[in-house]
Structures are given as structure tokens and as C-alpha cells.
Amino acid sequence: MPEEAGRLAGTAPLAATTSGIDDLLLAGLRELLDQELEKAIRQRERSVLFTGPGTARDAAVLAHRRQLCRSLGLRDARVPCDALEFVATTKAPSLVAEHPAYEVHAVRWPVLPGVTGEGLFLRPRRPAAACVVALPDADQSPEALAGLEGGAAQACAYPVAGRLAAAGCAVVVPVVIDRDDTWSGNPRIRMTNQPHREYIYRMAYEMGRHILGYEVQKVLALVDWWEKEHPGLAVGVYGYGEGGLVALCAAAADERIAAALVSGAFQYRASVGEEPIYRNVWRRCRGLTDAELAALIAPRALIIEARPGPTVDGPPPARAGRSGAAPGRLRPALLDEVEREAALARRAYAALGAPERLALVVPDGPGAEEEALARLVAALGVSLPASEGAAPPAGAAQPARAVARVDARARMERQFRELCDFTQRLVPGSAKERDAFWAELDMSSVQAYARSIERYRAYFWDEVIGRCPVPDTPLAPQSRLAESRHAYDLYEVVLHIWPQVPNLGFLLVPKGIAEGEKRPAVVCQHGLGGYPHATLDEGNKAYHGFARRLAERGYVVYAPQNPYIGPKGDAFRVLQFKANALGWSLFSLIAVQHKRILQWLGSLPFVDGARIGFYGLSYGGKTAMRIPALLPEYALSICSGDFNEWIYKTVSTEFRTSYMFTGEYEIFEFDLASTFNYAEMARLICPRPFMVERGRFDPCGDDEWVAFEYAKVRRHYADLGIAERTEIEFFQGGHEIHGVGTFAFLDRHLGWAGKEEKVAGAAGD
């Protein structure tokens, strides 16, 4: 075996200890993502969105708007909204309050099948002069925005909705899903401390929807109604905090909205990884930043109020029986951040000859709210009632007489459960969406299949996982001989995937390899919280030293470090949100890592680059589904302790180990349900061999659900006439490597014969 002074030939010497290299790996990935985010934000300066009118800009607006609608999940046809429904019972009327200029009613309206919007309708007593949707922050009630006594008053002493109604606008104030955790979970399984917004976000994101998108749909349903009820009247939106984001997105998505006032929400978003998870939007920093959304609104009126946004220190505190929420906090943007983003947005307005239609208002002192609101109503062709002094007149600002009190808690629960139920109902139908997506696959022959699968592989990489460029920098391998046994030598290896991202792995080289002989290799991948060392640990009850056992059979084995390092907790999980903002994911980075590992392994003189298999457990099993699907260089793949009806596993609120209830908040992949369940990922591995290893008592899934999903894989291979290339092994065990059927599978499909004789020969050395 080629060796140079205790190291592998062709490598530089490695320090005696590799302690702390996992920290360097994560720090390097974080630096890489931060650099790419900064680069993406700088590239906006050259965007055609900020140029004058023309076909190029028109095309760009359409493309960015399509991406916005996709990233927010604005894909479901809305239920026709012909009228608002007054919410009344035998105990309480719909009328909540009266004012000389308007009435306040509790209302709801249809949005999506089984989903309504709900809130307050401030109906002027004279014919409406304009229509406005006024959106509070997530932790504000509609009553607070309307100036009603008893409404939560956070940052909302100024009754925006009441002032708009007093000006003659018809105003609807929707409920915005809050940040409490009262109903987040299933009491029969587990309750969590996830904010309601996060709980809905998790299930919606996997289904290609978003909590922000659901709330935009509620706004647009009102626009639909007003278009029928008040044809010709201008429509505007106002929003503060979370409601400000909804207002910005709604106006960017729908040109029927004539004017928008965004308060406490518009900013330069340089710290996307620090915001709450429900702010995570796919490709947010590649065309959907606040300035770019403003450019989609231009030349319609946009008022940016630089009021401090809400402060959120994190999710509700973890407590007995309730945990698992993602971190994330909100801090009011600094004024220079708001001004910086607004300056870029102003370029779009200036290029279109309408600089006056974008206004940045910096509130300063009592009554300062009037300026921004006056600009909004002026853009709608309305004037605010005259104010007395610095503050609006009390009579104009607050209803004169309260009539009834709304049960705000029951209303919030209805809104929360409707969105949960709607999303859960999407799960069974997603199989038909996937069938439609895969309709052009050519199954006429293995050769035709191999050609037609490439467009699906490209889609999986570009639109689901995210394609991160592979660097061409030197790998600069370093190694040292860590151990020598009778059957193999064990080397610690460090490869530099990117210059600032070192990756540790263990290379096991069987003894007795003849000169010029090329052996098959197996990449053994650890799971969540693990290190590559675990695959070597013969006493580990999950791995059973399977990397060593394979080396003893005569395989070259490599066990690399993947970034999902459990003890590092949020240090790796928050990378997902930085990556998602770029249209990437953790597996984008892992794909690059394995691409370069394959390049290096294939360059070793004793490795047959055409016979490298992949075998992973748990999170390594997740990797086994995704990375060989992307990288045809892997000759086969074995998924252990992970294969599932994946959409059900991630989204269901009825499955006991669903990711809806756990702390693995990074697991969700945008719009996976419409395109790739695990059976479809296996199609990308096909026609290469693929195997599932399933422990009977593994809590990650149920045998029945695993068998259900695998049956689709087996049928697919059989339809191509290659059924012998796939199999599943059920064994009486748990979340662990069994290493019986899988070892035989490797031997058969990597063409490795004479193993026992070679090992026996090595043992006699």
C-alpha cells in the first residue's frame, strides 16, 4: 500500500490531532453563505428591475413576480368571494361598535376551500371613497388597529383603521396568525412551543405553501370582493410588522392594489438567518428582497414608514412537555438600513418617471403617524379628516359607542385550525401532483429512461435542493496513519472542499491489494449528531462498526463528516435558512462535498471510480436518498433507518414521530410534496441499484408506511425489467445498521467476489 512516512501517498502530513475541525467546517460554511448572501445583495444593483420601461424590464417583472408567487405558494384557486359574512350569534350581534362616520362589524369571508379570513369591517355610513385592507402585526388584534377599547395596544396607540374609515374608506382588518403556541401540536402525541406561525409554516413549506402566502391570499380575496362590490374604487393596503410584510408581498404580487403603506417592516435584510423561521422564504435574496418587491410595485404608490418594527426575543419558552421551536428573533431595523433599502427602491420609481410615488416617512413625535396615512389615502384619492393640533381628533379616532365584544381567542383558534386543516388535506392529493409532474418520463427502455430522467434530476437539483457551484480550488489532501490492523490500514484524512471549509474523513484501505488492482469502495455516512468516528465504533449500538466490517470484507471505505453535527445544535441548523434565501439548502453544500470526495476517491490508484457505493444511516439515510440522486457517479445507494413516506413523515400531525413535533426544524424542503417523495428520489437513482434497510422497531417510521412507499420503487424497477436491482430488508431490530442483506447487496452489485479469501490472506500477514 503506497505510504509516505505514516501518511497516504500524494497527501501532505496531517497534524496529530484533528480536534476542533468540526467547528472549522461549520464556521467555513457560515462564511461561505455570508459571502454569497452579500454577493447576491450587491448584484441587485445591476438588476433590470431598477431600469426604465422596456421589454427587458417587463420580462423581469413577470419573472420576479412568478418567483414571488411560487415562493409564497400562491398557487391555489381562491373561492369566489361575493360578499362579506357578518359573524353573529343569538348571544352577540355582528355590530361591534358605532361611530358617527362608520360602523364596525365582525366579519369573515371565503378564501380557499375550508379557509376563511376573519376580522373587522369598518363600513362607512356614506358611499365608500376607497377600499383598504389594514393588517396588524401578528401579536396585535384587529380591535387594536381599529382603536377599540380592549384591543392589544402594542405599538398601535394610533387607530389606523379608524382614521381610514373616518376618511370614508371601507376598511377590513384581518386577523394575522399570532406568535403564541397555545394550539401548536397534537395533544394525543405531543404539544410544542412552536409559535402558531412556525407550526403552520412547517407543514406549508413542504407542501409548497407559506404562512405569508396564506395571509396574502386572504388579502387578495378581499380585493376580489371589492372589485365586484365597488368597481372602479381604488384599493390600498396598510400593514405593520408581520402585517407589513404581508402588505408588501400582496402589493408586489397583485397590480390591482393601487397603493401600499408598509410600516415597521421594510428593511435591508442582511441577517436572514437570525429571523424567525416563519420569515424563511425560498430564494428571498435572489430577487425577492424588499427593494425588489418595491420595484414590482412601481410605479404604483408605496409609502415606507420607518417606524420601529416589533421586538421578538424568540419563540415561547420551552417548558415541560413543550419544546422543539426554532430560534429566531426580531429587532427593529436601524434607520440607515431602512434608508439604504428605500434608496435602491427609489431607483425603480425614478427610472419609471414617478419618484414622487415612493415616500419614506420617518415618524418623529406625537401625531407623526398622520403623514404616512395621509400619503396613503391621497394616493387613493381621499383626504384624512382635519386634525386638531398634533394628534387626530378623538372623535375621529375612536368609536363613540361599543356594542359587543369579540371572542378574540376563539377567533384566532378558528383561523389557526382552518389553515392547519387545509394544509393537512393537501397531503393525499400531492401524489397526483407528483404523477402529473412525472408524466413525461420515458419508460420504454432502460436507455430511453436514462436519457429522460436527466431533466428531472436537473429540476431536483435546481429547484428543490439548490445547485451550489463546485469550486475548482485544490483539495489539498492531508492524512496520517491512525491505526493499522491485520486486515486494513486506517487513515485520518482532511480535504479542503472550499479553501475555508476543511472536511474530516476516515479512509480504510484493505491490506493485500495487488499492484494495479482497483477495488470497489463504499462511502459510509453517519447520522444526525454523529461524527465519522461513529461508523468505526464496533461497540456503537446503531452503527456496529460497519465501516470496519466492510473493510474486513475487502472494500475500500471512506467515512466523511457531514455538517449536521448534533452537538452543535443551531450552529448547523440555521445554515439552512441562509442557504434557503439563496435558493440552496444544506444538501446543496453536502452535494458539493460529495462531488469532491468522489473526485478524490476516484483519483486513488487502488479505487475503481466506477464502483463506489453509498451507505448511510438516519440523516445519512436522508443523504443516501438525495446525494446519489444528484450524483450519478455513485454506483448504488443504500438507505438505512430513514426511508419513509416522506411527505407524511414531515407534514402529518397524526404520525407520532412526525417532524412537526421535533427540534429538527431545518428538515423541511420547499415544495417537495409536488415533485419528489422518496419513491421519486429513488427514480433518480434508478437504473442504478438501490436498497432499503429497515429495522422492525425503528421509530422513524412504521413498517406499513415504509413498505407502501417502497412498493412504488419496486414496481418502477420491475416496469423497466430490472427488478433485481432493488430490494428491501426488514430485520428484527431498531434504528441501526444490520449489515446482512446490505452487505450481500454490495457484493453483488459492486461485483466484489473472493472477499473471504482476501481477508483470510490479509489476516496471515
Side-chain angles (χ1 to χ4, degrees), residues 12-288:
L14 181 64
T17 177
T18 53
S19 175
I21 201 165
D22 51 347
D23 291 319
L24 295 176
L25 167 69
L26 292 179
L29 291 175
R30 184 168 57 250
E31 178 185 343
L32 173 75
L33 291 170
D34 286 342
Q35 289 173 350
E36 194 66 28
L37 284 166
E38 185 60 35
K39 177 182 173 183
I41 289 173
R42 287 199 311 269
Q43 285 175 338
R44 301 180 305 166
E45 301 286 339
R46 301 189 297 273
S47 173
V48 72
L49 287 177
F50 303 107
T51 62
T55 56
R57 186 184 189 278
D58 292 344
V61 167
L62 288 175
H64 283 253
R65 188 168 287 138
R66 278 196 300 269
Q67 184 60 55
L68 173 65
C69 291
R70 179 174 185 264
S71 293
L72 295 183
L74 302 180
R75 56 194 290 178
D76 302 294
R78 290 187 294 277
V79 175
C81 182
D82 297 319
L84 301 186
E85 175 187 346
F86 287 153
V87 179
T89 68
T90 55
K91 292 184 177 180
S94 69
L95 186 64
V96 175
E98 290 186 305
H99 181 275
Y102 57 87
E103 296 176 337
V104 183
H105 290 269
V107 293
R108 61 174 160 250
W109 59 97
V111 181
L112 301 170
V115 175
T116 64
E118 197 163 351
L120 298 179
F121 177 33
L122 285 69
R123 182 169 66 176
R125 296 187 184 276
R126 64 180 189 269
C131 309
V132 180
V133 183
L135 294 140
D137 179 52
D139 290 331
Q140 291 176 338
S141 67
E143 288 73 23
L145 214 60
L148 298 179
E149 185 180 355
Q154 179 190 350
C156 198
Y158 180 69
V160 170
R163 289 291 285 148
L164 289 167
C169 296
V171 183
V172 175
V173 188
V175 169
V176 174
I177 298 297
D178 67 12
R179 302 184 182 97
D180 202 356
D181 65 355
T182 307
W183 307 292
S184 295
N186 183 335
R188 298 186 304 277
I189 298 175
R190 183 169 179 260
M191 298 302 290
T192 78
N193 68 325
Q194 296 170 33
H196 293 144
R197 299 188 70 78
E198 175 180 344
Y199 193 73
I200 294 170
Y201 158 88
R202 288 192 182 204
M203 62 178 85
Y205 198 76
E206 194 84 0
M207 302 306 298
R209 277 77 172 179
H210 202 287
I211 177 64
L212 283 171
Y214 284 151
E215 290 173 332
V216 168
Q217 290 277 42
K218 293 182 179 185
V219 173
L220 299 186
L222 289 169
V223 177
D224 296 341
W225 168 63
W226 271 326
E227 202 171 34
K228 299 174 187 175
E229 185 82 2
H230 304 289
L233 283 190
V235 178
V237 291
Y238 163 92
Y240 170 74
E242 220 64 41
L245 277 182
V246 177
L248 180 64
C249 291
D254 197 320
E255 292 180 324
R256 295 177 299 171
I257 296 172
L261 197 171
V262 178
S263 178
F266 195 92
Q267 64 186 81
Y268 175 79
R269 300 192 181 278
S271 303
V272 290
E274 298 174 11
E275 293 182 286
I277 188 174
Y278 47 81
R279 293 273 187 99
N280 182 47
V281 174
W282 181 251
R283 287 188 173 158
R284 182 183 189 179
C285 289
R286 294 209 192 273
L288 305 179

Side-chain angles (χ1 to χ4, degrees), residues 587-669:
F587 280 106
S588 303
L589 307 173
I590 294 169
V592 171
Q593 173 182 305
H594 279 266
K595 181 79 172 178
R596 305 211 75 191
I597 285 171
L598 284 165
Q599 291 169 351
W600 180 70
L601 285 176
S603 73
L604 298 177
F606 48 86
V607 171
D608 184 348
R611 291 190 294 162
I612 302 177
F614 189 98
Y615 189 173
L617 172 68
S618 193
Y619 225 121
K622 292 173 182 46
T623 310
M625 295 308 305
R626 291 159 178 80
I627 299 307
L630 296 175
L631 303 180
E633 297 95 319
Y634 275 118
L636 60 78
S637 183
I638 300 174
C639 175
S640 180
D642 184 69
F643 191 87
N644 247 298
E645 209 292 0
W646 188 251
I647 306 307
Y648 176 75
K649 165 76 172 176
T650 50
V651 175
S652 174
T653 55
E654 295 295 333
F655 180 47
R656 69 190 187 285
T657 58
S658 167
Y659 285 113
M660 286 300 300
F661 308 124
T662 70
E664 288 100 330
Y665 52 80
E666 83 293 346
I667 213 76
F668 302 92
E669 295 159 296

